[in-house]
């Protein structure tokens, strides 16, 4: 069974962290909180340990993992060089919700990078993650600690629901802060490219670097998901963040959303709605879950995955969800919603 350390009740966090670090040294996998979502960590220098991540998650082996470091000097041992743009990003956003892609020096276990010559590196900003990285003195390969295809975990309960019995340990550090994953920026060429929007916003990146490019594959809308664009970030091609019932994105005003709700109901579907506080006040539906306010997209990001997980297939046939402005962290929110959705209903067309 999975050993769970409840850190808020734990008088000696340091002791729990040392026990978890021992499991990692022993090539076991341990889930831990970061500032974005929970990660499922393993010794990134051990092929055998990293294999256990893929097994526990049911993750396709061609989807590479992010390697987490305690600090920049440790990171230096695994990359060819840190180009100037990467130095600037590290200085501005590290530790923090940013992952950069650099050229690997080949030291890391080969299954971490899924055979690529590049490596994704990140220094998380969370006291438990930092303590764990320091205690085990290992670079930790860590994808989000969910079953492959499910919404990422923002609480230890989410991890437990998906992975209990499949992983050696789980450090329960409460709810994570940002709520969506780190921003992935490719720094292997002269022009930085955002491969995945996340906790560090495009606007923040552009303040430091000037104009930043965005992977064209990110512009894909949900209806075009099947088109065979090859995203640079291999993970982006898989089904992701899927709730238990089909999710339909509804782009339009309250009247339009209400019409969709009524339509679903008329067709005999038990319908759940994920709405902002503002929208929830003006629509009529049996089952509404509020994920935040249009005035505060950070709040929406924090609650997004929990809301996606909250609707169970026993309760609803369809989930309708409104859309958000693609500014700031709204870019990450809409990226995840587009990936989670099987259909988009738009008032504009
Ligand atoms: O916030 C986060 O980044 C969380 C926490 C646990 O750190 N981790 C996370 O990992 O989201 P994961 O495995 O769920 O997503 C990693 C993403 C995938 O889209 C993967 O394809 C991409 O990073 N990636 C990893 N290595 C890459 C590489 N060498 N080149 C391009 N993309 C890479
Ligand atoms: Mg993930």
């Amino acid at each position: 069974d999975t050993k769970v350390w409840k850190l808020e009740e734990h008088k000696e966090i340091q002791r729990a962290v040392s026990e978890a670090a021992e499991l990692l040294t022993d090539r076991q996998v341990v889930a831990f909180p970061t500032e974005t979502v929970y990660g499922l960590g393993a010794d990134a220098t051990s092929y055998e340990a990293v294999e256990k991540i893929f097994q526990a998650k049911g993750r396709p082996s061609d989807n590479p993992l992010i390697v987490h470091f305690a600090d920049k000097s440790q990171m230096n041992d695994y990359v060819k060089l840190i180009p100037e743009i990467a130095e600037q990003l590290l200085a501005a956003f590290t530790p923090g919700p940013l992952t950069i892609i650099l050229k690997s020096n080949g030291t890391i276990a080969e299954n971490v990078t899924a055979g690529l010559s590049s490596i994704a590196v990140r220094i998380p900003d969370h006291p438990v993650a930092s303590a764990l990285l320091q205690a085990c003195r290992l670079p930790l390969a860590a994808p989000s600690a969910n079953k492959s295809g499910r919404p990422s975990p923002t609480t230890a309960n989410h991890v437990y629901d998906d992975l209990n019995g499949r992983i050696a340990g789980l450090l329960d550090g409460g709810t994570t802060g940002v709520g969506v994953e780190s921003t992935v920026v490719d720094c292997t060429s002269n022009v930085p490219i955002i491969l995945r929007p996340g906790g560090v916003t495009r606007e923040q990146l552009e303040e430091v670097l000037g104009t930043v490019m965005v992977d064209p594959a990110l512009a894909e809308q949900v209806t075009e998901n099947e088109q065979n664009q090859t995203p640079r970030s291999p993970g982006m091609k898989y089904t992701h963040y899927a709730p238990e019932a089909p999710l339909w994105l509804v782009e339009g005003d309250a009247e339009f959303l209400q019409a969709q709700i009524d339509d679903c109901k008329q067709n005999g579907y038990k319908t759940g709605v994920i709405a902002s506080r503002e929208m929830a006040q003006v629509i009529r539906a049996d089952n509404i879950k509020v994920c935040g306010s249009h005035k505060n997209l950070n709040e929406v990001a924090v609650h997004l995955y929990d809301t996606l997980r909250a609707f169970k297939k026993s309760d609803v046939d369809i989930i309708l969800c409104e859309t958000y402005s693609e500014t700031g962290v709204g870019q990450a929110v809409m990226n995840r919603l587009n990936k989670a959705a099987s259909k988009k209903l738009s008032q504009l067309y």
Side-chain angles (χ1 to χ4, degrees):
D1 260 20
T2 300
K3 162 102 183 159
V4 182
W5 296 273
K6 264 210 168 281
L7 298 182
E8 60 269 42
E9 290 168 10
H10 210 288
K11 290 197 193 71
E12 295 168 88
I13 291 185
Q14 209 45 53
R15 173 126 136 240
V17 164
S18 326
E19 286 175 19
E22 251 172 65
L23 290 177
L24 289 166
T25 308
D26 204 24
R27 295 187 282 280
Q28 302 297 312
V29 292
V30 173
F32 60 96
T34 80
E35 79 279 36
T36 56
V37 301
Y38 274 75
L40 181 59
D43 175 359
T45 65
S46 161
Y47 187 97
E48 179 198 337
V50 169
E51 220 35 41
K52 290 177 186 159
I53 292 178
F54 287 99
Q55 276 160 18
K57 282 188 56 116
R59 181 175 175 113
S61 60
D62 65 346
N63 190 1
L65 308 175
I66 297 171
V67 185
H68 297 65
F69 297 95
D71 52 43
K72 199 174 132 193
S73 77
Q74 190 190 26
M75 179 189 289
N76 252 313
D77 297 341
Y78 298 89
V79 300
K80 261 201 181 129
L81 84 174
I82 303 185
E84 183 52 30
I85 45 168
E87 289 286 4
Q88 284 175 284
L89 290 178
L90 288 171
F93 302 111
T94 287
L98 178 77
T99 294
I100 55 180
I101 310 293
L102 298 174
K103 286 182 178 142
S104 166
N105 69 5
T107 312
I108 215 78
E110 62 182 332
N111 48 352
V112 170
T113 56
L116 298 174
S117 57
S118 59
I119 177 173
V121 296
R122 148 160 155 79
I123 300 172
D125 185 17
H126 189 287
V128 174
S130 306
L132 185 64
L133 284 161
Q134 256 145 34
C136 68
R137 297 166 197 276
L138 293 166
L140 294 180
S144 49
N146 51 280
K147 267 277 187 70
S148 202
R150 298 264 293 139
S152 299
T154 52
T155 69
N157 273 341
H158 296 163
V159 180
Y160 194 83
D161 286 347
D162 278 14
L163 299 176
N164 178 36
R166 303 174 68 89
I167 61 178
L170 164 57
L171 287 161
D172 178 352
T175 305
T176 58
V178 178
V180 290
E181 298 87 338
S182 62
T183 305
V184 179
V185 181
D186 185 347
C187 294
T188 57
S189 66
N190 295 328
V191 193
I193 306 169
I194 299 176
L195 303 186
R196 178 178 74 179
V200 174
T201 66
R202 179 181 186 170
E203 294 86 338
Q204 288 176 304
L205 291 171
E206 293 193 329
E207 259 173 50
V208 173
L209 298 178
T211 310
V212 179
M213 285 198 22
V214 177
D215 184 356
L218 287 180
E220 268 176 271
Q221 286 306 298
V222 65
T223 45
E224 290 149 15
N225 262 353
E226 302 309 322
Q227 284 182 2
N228 46 0
Q229 281 236 36
T230 308
R232 282 165 210 262
S233 184
M236 301 306 267
K237 70 172 179 275
Y238 293 104
T239 308
H240 260 110
Y241 317 112
E244 291 190 12
L247 180 82
W248 294 359
L249 274 182
V250 182
E251 189 176 44
D253 59 17
E255 207 179 321
F256 183 71
L257 176 57
Q258 188 68 57
Q260 311 312 315
I261 295 168
D262 297 343
D263 229 43
C264 285
K265 204 168 175 177
Q266 219 148 50
N267 286 316
Y269 295 134
K270 282 184 281 174
T271 309
V273 182
I274 298 177
S276 63
R277 200 164 293 118
E278 294 87 353
M279 187 67 95
Q281 279 164 4
V282 295
I283 56 172
R284 284 158 285 109
D286 298 330
N287 204 343
I288 306 180
K289 295 197 194 300
V290 172
C291 68
S293 162
H294 277 283
K295 298 193 199 90
N296 183 357
L297 296 178
N298 292 314
E299 187 193 3
V300 177
V302 168
H303 298 292
L304 181 69
Y305 292 139
D306 186 61
T307 327
L308 285 174
R309 279 175 179 263
F311 284 112
K312 303 295 173 195
K313 61 169 170 279
S314 49
D315 304 329
V316 298
D317 302 314
I318 288 178
I319 304 166
L320 299 177
C321 178
E322 71 179 295
T323 60
Y324 293 87
S325 143
E326 292 195 34
T327 55
V329 78
Q331 294 202 339
V333 167
M334 285 312 299
N335 169 265
R336 307 309 189 267
L337 282 176
N338 274 307
K339 294 190 149 291
S342 57
K343 192 168 174 173
K344 191 167 191 169
L345 306 165
S346 184
Q347 192 171 21
L348 306 173
Y349 308 122

